[in-house]
Amino acid sequence: MTLDEVLKGLFPSGHDVKTSTVGLITGTGKRKQGDAIAVIGVANGVALGTAGVLPLAEEVLRVVAKGGETPILVLVDTQGQLMARRDEMRGLNEYLAHLAKCLLLASQQGHRTIGLEYGKAAAGAFLATALATDFLIGLPGAEPAVMDLPSMSRVTKLPIDKLKELAKTTPVFAPSLDNLFQLGAVAEIWDPTKPLDEQLEEVLAKASPKDIRDELGAMRKGRPMAAKVAKRVIAAATGRGGDVAST
């Protein structure tokens, strides 16, 4: 789906969402019952650099400063972080971390944060936008990847053919919407033939700051150990013992 199609489906009652010349999405949408939802994001597959991060973070902080419980929707179609020497020298990793922390702050202050990936999403830009929200949704045709297989091969020193073989049975090694769904990173995959505004309201009703991605990954058999290990760490750190570790 195109961004225009997504916005029309999400906000049939209207919106003032704009896309800048550098692909930054900002504005508000009118929900089904008339309430507002803040909208930010990255469009047109552009790379997210230092110049793009701060305006998005500013919008998130503006919502927090205003108070109330206005939700924040993060729309994502980005090839990843901007691979430019200038941005790396300026500390792009810290900029991206700042945006992720702003979304976390908003969530802690009562603003439900919903990620919606409708296009590409990769690497650091994916981590700081879509994956930094309380609840991540994917639309069919979306292409999420924390790291593609050629990059993974360079980092792990494993042959690309070996990674391709592993990707057939292990979702951790396989970028794609279905695999990230199995891992629990993507909470839901929406049906584009059904009204998007109704699906959004259903998500807003159940979204929570509690991170259950490890539990979803275990339930979907994509990450069988993450939830168990997390519970053992919590048990050891809090002294609550086996009652936590065994659940």
Side-chain angles (χ1 to χ4, degrees):
M1 298 180 73
T2 66
L3 178 58
D4 285 343
E5 290 171 337
V6 171
L7 290 172
K8 287 178 182 178
L10 289 171
F11 310 119
S13 299
H15 66 84
D16 64 5
V17 178
K18 306 294 184 184
T19 303
S20 73
T21 55
V22 291
L24 299 184
I25 301 170
T26 55
T28 57
K30 185 181 290 186
R31 293 172 57 189
K32 195 168 184 179
Q33 75 277 33
D35 293 340
I37 180 170
V39 182
I40 67 168
V42 189
N44 305 325
V46 303
L48 186 59
T50 55
V53 169
L54 292 184
L56 297 182
E58 182 180 9
E59 285 297 309
V60 175
L61 294 178
R62 181 186 60 77
V63 173
V64 173
K66 190 175 180 180
E69 297 182 344
T70 302
I72 300 172
L73 176 66
V74 185
L75 300 174
V76 180
D77 177 16
T78 173
Q79 61 182 276
Q81 72 269 27
L82 183 61
M83 302 296 287
R85 178 179 175 81
R86 174 178 178 272
D87 284 64
E88 294 290 348
M89 294 295 290
R90 293 180 69 184
L92 177 58
N93 60 317
E94 294 294 338
Y95 280 73
L96 293 171
H98 172 64
L99 176 56
K101 287 186 280 189
C102 287
L103 287 167
L104 176 60
L105 173 65
S107 175
Q108 292 174 337
Q109 295 297 313
H111 304 273
R112 287 160 293 176
T113 59
I114 310 298
L116 176 56
E117 188 194 341
Y118 66 96
K120 296 180 181 296
F126 184 31
L127 299 175
T129 55
L131 281 179
T133 59
D134 294 330
F135 200 99
L136 176 56
I137 302 149
L139 281 170
E143 303 176 40
V146 174
M147 184 178 290
D148 60 26
L149 293 184
S151 300
M152 199 179 295
S153 177
R154 289 193 294 271
V155 171
T156 64
K157 309 305 180 186
L158 292 173
I160 186 69
D161 290 340
K162 176 66 174 179
L163 291 175
K164 288 179 179 178
E165 190 64 29
L166 289 169
K168 294 177 181 178
T169 56
T170 308
V172 171
F173 291 99
S176 79
L177 184 59
D178 289 339
N179 283 299
L180 265 75
F181 176 81
Q182 192 174 352
L183 289 172
V186 173
E188 289 185 2
I189 299 176
W190 278 0
D191 184 348
T193 66
K194 296 180 179 179
L196 297 188
D197 60 331
E198 294 181 4
Q199 294 180 83
L200 176 61
E201 290 303 318
E202 291 173 2
V203 166
L204 287 170
K206 62 187 175 185
S208 166
K210 182 182 179 183
D211 191 341
I212 61 169
R213 284 174 287 193
D214 55 354
E215 296 173 11
L216 289 176
M219 181 178 66
R220 296 168 182 170
K221 304 187 186 304
R223 278 197 302 168
M225 294 302 299
K228 293 179 180 179
V229 171
K231 288 176 180 178
R232 290 177 62 184
V233 171
I234 292 171
T238 61
R240 290 174 61 186
D243 60 326
V244 173
S246 60
T247 56

